[in-house]
Amino acid sequence: MNLNHHALEHYLTLAREGRLTAEQQEALLTFLEQHPELLEHFPPDLLQVLPDEQIFYRDKNKLKKEITEANCDYFLQLAAEGRLTAKRRRQLEEFLAVRPDLRSHLNGYVHAVLEPDLSVRYPDKNRLYRRFALIVPLWMRAVAAAAVLGLAWLLNGIPSAWQSAEEEPLSVSAPDAVVDSPSMQPVPETGEDMPTTRVVAVKKTAAVRPTQVNDLRADTLKANPVATSDHLLPLVQRYIVLVQEEGPKPKAMAITHLIPETVPAQEPDRVTLLQRVRPWVAALLAASGRPEMARNLTASDKAGDLLVIRMTLALGPLEIERTFLPTTE
Amino acid sequence: MTSEQYNLCVDLYADRLYRFVRKNLQHQADAEDVVQSAYEILWRNHQQVAMESSRSYLFRVAYRLLLKAWRRQPQAELSDEMHLTYHEQPTGLKQALDLALQTLPPVQKSVVLLRDYEGYSYAEIASIAGLSIAQVKVYLFRARKKLKDVLVSLKYVV
């Protein structure tokens, strides 16, 4: 092995440990004679072999798991969380007795453990719940619908709207009987300058004519104010589905939303409905990445006209699907 | 998980999840959206999620949503070294701690909240936040030290 500047350190280490051969020791001394400037960096007893007991690691304390100023934060944190063993607690107390100025840091860690504010609660859990309606076979729905209609007929007589050529459509779910829908233009009851809307059914059933259901309910409510919608037409399924019309084919936004209060079903026109459900529709839009539309919806009725609102109501065992489409006028 | 168990999850965890998210996002509406989205995702996958793991699942989903929300925030707000700037002097220890919490980088804040609010273990936090256990320990250590330094510097503890 040729001795040079790079190998010098290795040679010196061997020399301190008494592991140099006579030949290597001679080479080392020769090299140092040729480079006397290096001697300034080494102690005079350079080639003196140290006994084993004089060889030790200087920073041994850094390796120990004792509590020192350098690592005390770790143990103070454990103490604040109550996770120190009894032995460590004693060690920490001994350490703090020596360094009382660090006791404030322990207090700081104790107070830095967070506690939840239990008064903060999710504002509206009804938005998160899922509820389900009983799925009733089609023939049972038809029978039940006929029974309800018959009962209402007995109570209120024949609804005048039955005799009208213009029918307000309202569909009863019948997946196998989708047909073109009639339409009408109800006058908003709010008296406000609302855009004219058109109510269009997307489905109808052969068992019950949609208009019969709707007009019967309206007449019943008018004749008997006590019979509120809660009695006659409870919204068992309180979901709203927003449908965004993009292109020729409506694109469902795949959102269902649980309305935290019952929307009175005796107010079927779209404007009134929008007013009542606007906060939740806005929340839906915001949640679906349409915050701009949500803001517009809360600011005015215009943005709401861009939406198709599809509601699923329940009339006893019947599921009634109602779709509110915006008018193009 | 059945639908009844899902609704039970709403009762049990909605408030806790909301507190966690609310501390991580400045705006209440954003926090509500995150919680609602987390439950929507839970509902979509409720048949694959066991009731026992629903809480971790919700927090994991919420944390992912928080990551997205943080990415939308200006980069300045995500700086690893955030400094406490009080517009007004905090009036008490709790307020000082709240303000100090807001100075933590998002990941540190989440880790310390999961630890203190929910009592999650290092391993559970690592699973929720997609970190190693060693990273969780480091983040937690740094977060606590910063909180402590603020409280000590403001002389709220002696």
Side-chain angles (χ1 to χ4, degrees), chain A residues 263-282:
Chain A
V263 175
Q266 75 270 30
E267 298 173 335
D269 68 279
R270 183 173 183 281
V271 173
T272 308
L273 177 67
L274 256 183
Q275 284 180 335
R276 297 192 65 91
V277 303
R278 180 172 291 121
W280 300 288
V281 175

mmCIF file of all heavy atoms in Angstrom, chain A residues 263-282:
data_model
loop_
_atom_site.group_PDB
_atom_site.id
_atom_site.type_symbol
_atom_site.label_atom_id
_atom_site.label_comp_id
_atom_site.label_asym_id
_atom_site.label_seq_id
_atom_site.Cartn_x
_atom_site.Cartn_y
_atom_site.Cartn_z
ATOM 1 N N VAL A 263 -91.862 19.120 2.443
ATOM 2 C CA VAL A 263 -92.323 20.131 1.503
ATOM 3 C C VAL A 263 -93.809 19.895 1.264
ATOM 4 O O VAL A 263 -94.194 18.832 0.811
ATOM 5 C CB VAL A 263 -91.565 20.028 0.173
ATOM 6 C CG1 VAL A 263 -92.140 21.016 -0.825
ATOM 7 C CG2 VAL A 263 -90.103 20.278 0.399
ATOM 8 N N PRO A 264 -94.616 20.841 1.589
ATOM 9 C CA PRO A 264 -96.054 20.615 1.411
ATOM 10 C C PRO A 264 -96.373 20.295 -0.042
ATOM 11 O O PRO A 264 -95.992 21.028 -0.945
ATOM 12 C CB PRO A 264 -96.673 21.954 1.829
ATOM 13 C CG PRO A 264 -95.657 22.575 2.703
ATOM 14 C CD PRO A 264 -94.342 22.138 2.157
ATOM 15 N N ALA A 265 -97.014 19.208 -0.213
ATOM 16 C CA ALA A 265 -97.251 18.763 -1.573
ATOM 17 C C ALA A 265 -98.440 19.468 -2.213
ATOM 18 O O ALA A 265 -98.726 19.264 -3.374
ATOM 19 C CB ALA A 265 -97.457 17.263 -1.587
ATOM 20 N N GLN A 266 -99.152 20.284 -1.432
ATOM 21 C CA GLN A 266 -100.264 20.972 -2.050
ATOM 22 C C GLN A 266 -99.814 22.210 -2.811
ATOM 23 O O GLN A 266 -100.609 22.963 -3.303
ATOM 24 C CB GLN A 266 -101.321 21.357 -1.010
ATOM 25 C CG GLN A 266 -100.954 22.521 -0.131
ATOM 26 C CD GLN A 266 -100.223 22.070 1.108
ATOM 27 O OE1 GLN A 266 -99.523 21.070 1.080
ATOM 28 N NE2 GLN A 266 -100.368 22.796 2.188
ATOM 29 N N GLU A 267 -98.511 22.437 -2.820
ATOM 30 C CA GLU A 267 -97.983 23.580 -3.564
ATOM 31 C C GLU A 267 -97.121 23.056 -4.690
ATOM 32 O O GLU A 267 -95.897 23.022 -4.601
ATOM 33 C CB GLU A 267 -97.170 24.475 -2.644
ATOM 34 C CG GLU A 267 -98.020 25.045 -1.530
ATOM 35 C CD GLU A 267 -97.177 25.781 -0.526
ATOM 36 O OE1 GLU A 267 -95.979 25.465 -0.424
ATOM 37 O OE2 GLU A 267 -97.696 26.659 0.139
ATOM 38 N N PRO A 268 -97.759 22.579 -5.718
ATOM 39 C CA PRO A 268 -97.001 21.838 -6.722
ATOM 40 C C PRO A 268 -96.284 22.704 -7.754
ATOM 41 O O PRO A 268 -95.479 22.201 -8.489
ATOM 42 C CB PRO A 268 -98.079 21.002 -7.408
ATOM 43 C CG PRO A 268 -99.302 21.866 -7.307
ATOM 44 C CD PRO A 268 -99.187 22.637 -6.030
ATOM 45 N N ASP A 269 -96.604 23.991 -7.785
ATOM 46 C CA ASP A 269 -95.980 24.743 -8.869
ATOM 47 C C ASP A 269 -94.509 24.929 -8.599
ATOM 48 O O ASP A 269 -94.046 24.984 -7.458
ATOM 49 C CB ASP A 269 -96.669 26.094 -9.053
ATOM 50 C CG ASP A 269 -96.423 26.994 -7.876
ATOM 51 O OD1 ASP A 269 -97.127 26.830 -6.863
ATOM 52 O OD2 ASP A 269 -95.507 27.824 -7.967
ATOM 53 N N ARG A 270 -93.785 25.025 -9.640
ATOM 54 C CA ARG A 270 -92.345 24.982 -9.551
ATOM 55 C C ARG A 270 -91.771 26.178 -8.786
ATOM 56 O O ARG A 270 -90.799 26.070 -8.034
ATOM 57 C CB ARG A 270 -91.768 24.964 -10.966
ATOM 58 C CG ARG A 270 -90.289 24.848 -11.008
ATOM 59 C CD ARG A 270 -89.834 24.661 -12.437
ATOM 60 N NE ARG A 270 -88.405 24.482 -12.462
ATOM 61 C CZ ARG A 270 -87.548 25.488 -12.371
ATOM 62 N NH1 ARG A 270 -87.990 26.702 -12.267
ATOM 63 N NH2 ARG A 270 -86.252 25.257 -12.383
ATOM 64 N N VAL A 271 -92.389 27.335 -8.985
ATOM 65 C CA VAL A 271 -91.867 28.541 -8.346
ATOM 66 C C VAL A 271 -91.961 28.418 -6.822
ATOM 67 O O VAL A 271 -91.000 28.663 -6.088
ATOM 68 C CB VAL A 271 -92.646 29.773 -8.837
ATOM 69 C CG1 VAL A 271 -92.225 31.005 -8.055
ATOM 70 C CG2 VAL A 271 -92.399 29.968 -10.320
ATOM 71 N N THR A 272 -93.113 27.997 -6.371
ATOM 72 C CA THR A 272 -93.298 27.850 -4.935
ATOM 73 C C THR A 272 -92.361 26.786 -4.378
ATOM 74 O O THR A 272 -91.739 26.952 -3.336
ATOM 75 C CB THR A 272 -94.755 27.456 -4.630
ATOM 76 O OG1 THR A 272 -95.593 28.385 -5.280
ATOM 77 C CG2 THR A 272 -95.008 27.468 -3.141
ATOM 78 N N LEU A 273 -92.284 25.723 -5.122
ATOM 79 C CA LEU A 273 -91.406 24.643 -4.677
ATOM 80 C C LEU A 273 -89.967 25.126 -4.578
ATOM 81 O O LEU A 273 -89.269 24.872 -3.591
ATOM 82 C CB LEU A 273 -91.503 23.479 -5.646
ATOM 83 C CG LEU A 273 -90.570 22.308 -5.335
ATOM 84 C CD1 LEU A 273 -90.992 21.645 -4.045
ATOM 85 C CD2 LEU A 273 -90.560 21.312 -6.473
ATOM 86 N N LEU A 274 -89.551 25.835 -5.587
ATOM 87 C CA LEU A 274 -88.170 26.331 -5.596
ATOM 88 C C LEU A 274 -87.895 27.225 -4.394
ATOM 89 O O LEU A 274 -86.831 27.169 -3.784
ATOM 90 C CB LEU A 274 -87.901 27.117 -6.879
ATOM 91 C CG LEU A 274 -87.073 26.399 -7.943
ATOM 92 C CD1 LEU A 274 -86.819 27.317 -9.111
ATOM 93 C CD2 LEU A 274 -85.765 25.898 -7.376
ATOM 94 N N GLN A 275 -88.881 28.052 -4.086
ATOM 95 C CA GLN A 275 -88.688 28.942 -2.944
ATOM 96 C C GLN A 275 -88.485 28.154 -1.664
ATOM 97 O O GLN A 275 -87.653 28.484 -0.827
ATOM 98 C CB GLN A 275 -89.898 29.868 -2.797
ATOM 99 C CG GLN A 275 -89.916 30.983 -3.828
ATOM 100 C CD GLN A 275 -91.124 31.858 -3.654
ATOM 101 O OE1 GLN A 275 -92.138 31.427 -3.125
ATOM 102 N NE2 GLN A 275 -91.012 33.097 -4.104
ATOM 103 N N ARG A 276 -89.238 27.086 -1.537
ATOM 104 C CA ARG A 276 -89.166 26.333 -0.290
ATOM 105 C C ARG A 276 -87.897 25.507 -0.200
ATOM 106 O O ARG A 276 -87.335 25.324 0.868
ATOM 107 C CB ARG A 276 -90.395 25.431 -0.160
ATOM 108 C CG ARG A 276 -91.687 26.196 -0.077
ATOM 109 C CD ARG A 276 -92.813 25.292 0.330
ATOM 110 N NE ARG A 276 -92.604 24.789 1.691
ATOM 111 C CZ ARG A 276 -93.073 25.391 2.776
ATOM 112 N NH1 ARG A 276 -93.774 26.490 2.651
ATOM 113 N NH2 ARG A 276 -92.852 24.881 3.958
ATOM 114 N N VAL A 277 -87.461 24.992 -1.312
ATOM 115 C CA VAL A 277 -86.309 24.082 -1.251
ATOM 116 C C VAL A 277 -85.021 24.769 -1.675
ATOM 117 O O VAL A 277 -83.972 24.129 -1.742
ATOM 118 C CB VAL A 277 -86.532 22.834 -2.141
ATOM 119 C CG1 VAL A 277 -87.782 22.119 -1.734
ATOM 120 C CG2 VAL A 277 -86.584 23.215 -3.610
ATOM 121 N N ARG A 278 -85.103 26.067 -1.933
ATOM 122 C CA ARG A 278 -83.929 26.761 -2.462
ATOM 123 C C ARG A 278 -82.666 26.558 -1.607
ATOM 124 O O ARG A 278 -81.595 26.269 -2.151
ATOM 125 C CB ARG A 278 -84.214 28.256 -2.615
ATOM 126 C CG ARG A 278 -83.015 29.025 -3.162
ATOM 127 C CD ARG A 278 -83.358 30.454 -3.490
ATOM 128 N NE ARG A 278 -84.251 30.513 -4.620
ATOM 129 C CZ ARG A 278 -85.451 31.068 -4.583
ATOM 130 N NH1 ARG A 278 -85.897 31.598 -3.468
ATOM 131 N NH2 ARG A 278 -86.210 31.100 -5.645
ATOM 132 N N PRO A 279 -82.749 26.688 -0.278
ATOM 133 C CA PRO A 279 -81.509 26.525 0.507
ATOM 134 C C PRO A 279 -80.852 25.170 0.293
ATOM 135 O O PRO A 279 -79.643 25.066 0.206
ATOM 136 C CB PRO A 279 -81.990 26.674 1.961
ATOM 137 C CG PRO A 279 -83.278 27.395 1.861
ATOM 138 C CD PRO A 279 -83.897 26.998 0.579
ATOM 139 N N TRP A 280 -81.685 24.146 0.177
ATOM 140 C CA TRP A 280 -81.100 22.804 0.043
ATOM 141 C C TRP A 280 -80.661 22.538 -1.389
ATOM 142 O O TRP A 280 -79.701 21.849 -1.633
ATOM 143 C CB TRP A 280 -82.108 21.777 0.541
ATOM 144 C CG TRP A 280 -82.429 22.060 1.969
ATOM 145 C CD1 TRP A 280 -81.609 21.864 3.034
ATOM 146 C CD2 TRP A 280 -83.610 22.670 2.480
ATOM 147 N NE1 TRP A 280 -82.226 22.304 4.178
ATOM 148 C CE2 TRP A 280 -83.442 22.787 3.877
ATOM 149 C CE3 TRP A 280 -84.791 23.111 1.904
ATOM 150 C CZ2 TRP A 280 -84.420 23.345 4.692
ATOM 151 C CZ3 TRP A 280 -85.755 23.651 2.714
ATOM 152 C CH2 TRP A 280 -85.568 23.767 4.090
ATOM 153 N N VAL A 281 -81.401 23.099 -2.326
ATOM 154 C CA VAL A 281 -80.962 22.971 -3.721
ATOM 155 C C VAL A 281 -79.626 23.689 -3.895
ATOM 156 O O VAL A 281 -78.715 23.202 -4.563
ATOM 157 C CB VAL A 281 -82.026 23.552 -4.677
ATOM 158 C CG1 VAL A 281 -81.505 23.537 -6.107
ATOM 159 C CG2 VAL A 281 -83.302 22.738 -4.592
ATOM 160 N N ALA A 282 -79.505 24.846 -3.247
ATOM 161 C CA ALA A 282 -78.242 25.586 -3.336
ATOM 162 C C ALA A 282 -77.106 24.770 -2.727
ATOM 163 O O ALA A 282 -75.998 24.713 -3.273
ATOM 164 C CB ALA A 282 -78.377 26.924 -2.618
#
